[in-house]
């Protein structure tokens, strides 16, 4: 099992969500977050460097069984990009998921996802 975390631009959320549903990835968690990476804009105000502003982003957390990792990642990449890709389109992190437990039924592992 893997936990896929994607940070994307807010205007791409509907496109990504619809594409994931079409790919039978229907269980996602969405959070509004802020941050910056290479998209930062260092401003100079009265001769002083001003820290870059935090930019609104969307965080998707998707727990998947191993066989769904590639399709999930490919779907996010294809739908989260602006055109051929721009700075700030986002990042995807894939981490091992040690355990998953469904609270309602106490199912564990891949069945709980």
């Amino acid at each position: 099992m893997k936990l896929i975390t994607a940070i994307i631009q807010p205007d791409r959320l509907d496109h990504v969500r619809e594409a994931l549903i079409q790919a039978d990835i229907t269980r996602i968690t969405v959070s509004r977050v802020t941050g910056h990476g290479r998209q930062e804009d260092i401003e100079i105000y009265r001769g002083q460097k001003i820290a870059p502003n935090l930019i609104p982003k969307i965080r998707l957390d998707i727990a998947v069984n191993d066989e769904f990792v590639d399709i999930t990642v490919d779907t996010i990449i294809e739908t989260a990009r602006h055109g051929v890709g721009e700075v700030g389109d986002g990042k995807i992190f894939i981490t091992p998921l040690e355990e998953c437990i469904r609270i309602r039924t106490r199912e564990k592992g891949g069945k709980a996802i």
Side-chain angles (χ1 to χ4, degrees):
M1 296 180 298
K2 304 284 188 216
L3 179 63
I4 299 173
T5 301
I7 308 296
I8 64 170
Q9 293 205 11
D11 66 314
R12 303 308 296 171
L13 175 60
D14 287 337
H15 299 285
V16 171
R17 190 178 59 81
E18 289 172 13
L20 287 170
I21 290 169
Q22 291 296 319
D24 285 332
I25 310 295
T26 57
R27 295 173 177 95
I28 66 172
T29 300
V30 178
S31 306
R32 296 191 184 282
V33 296
T34 58
H36 66 80
R38 289 191 177 167
Q39 197 176 16
E40 63 187 72
D41 294 349
I42 296 177
E43 295 182 24
I44 297 180
Y45 178 74
R46 294 188 179 185
Q48 297 288 330
K49 287 185 179 179
I50 305 295
N53 290 329
L54 297 176
I55 300 166
K57 298 286 186 171
I58 297 294
R59 176 181 170 152
L60 305 174
D61 291 306
I62 308 166
V64 297
N65 289 311
D66 291 334
E67 59 268 17
F68 287 95
V69 171
D70 289 338
I71 189 153
T72 303
V73 169
D74 291 343
T75 300
I76 294 169
I77 290 170
E78 291 300 318
T79 55
R81 292 173 66 180
H82 287 92
V84 293
E86 297 178 7
V87 172
D89 276 347
K91 289 229 172 30
I92 299 173
F93 306 97
I94 302 171
T95 53
L97 185 58
E98 188 174 322
E99 185 64 273
C100 178
I101 303 168
R102 180 174 288 139
I103 294 172
R104 178 177 52 89
T105 61
R106 295 182 179 251
E107 286 178 293
K108 292 184 177 186
K111 291 181 182 178
I113 291 178

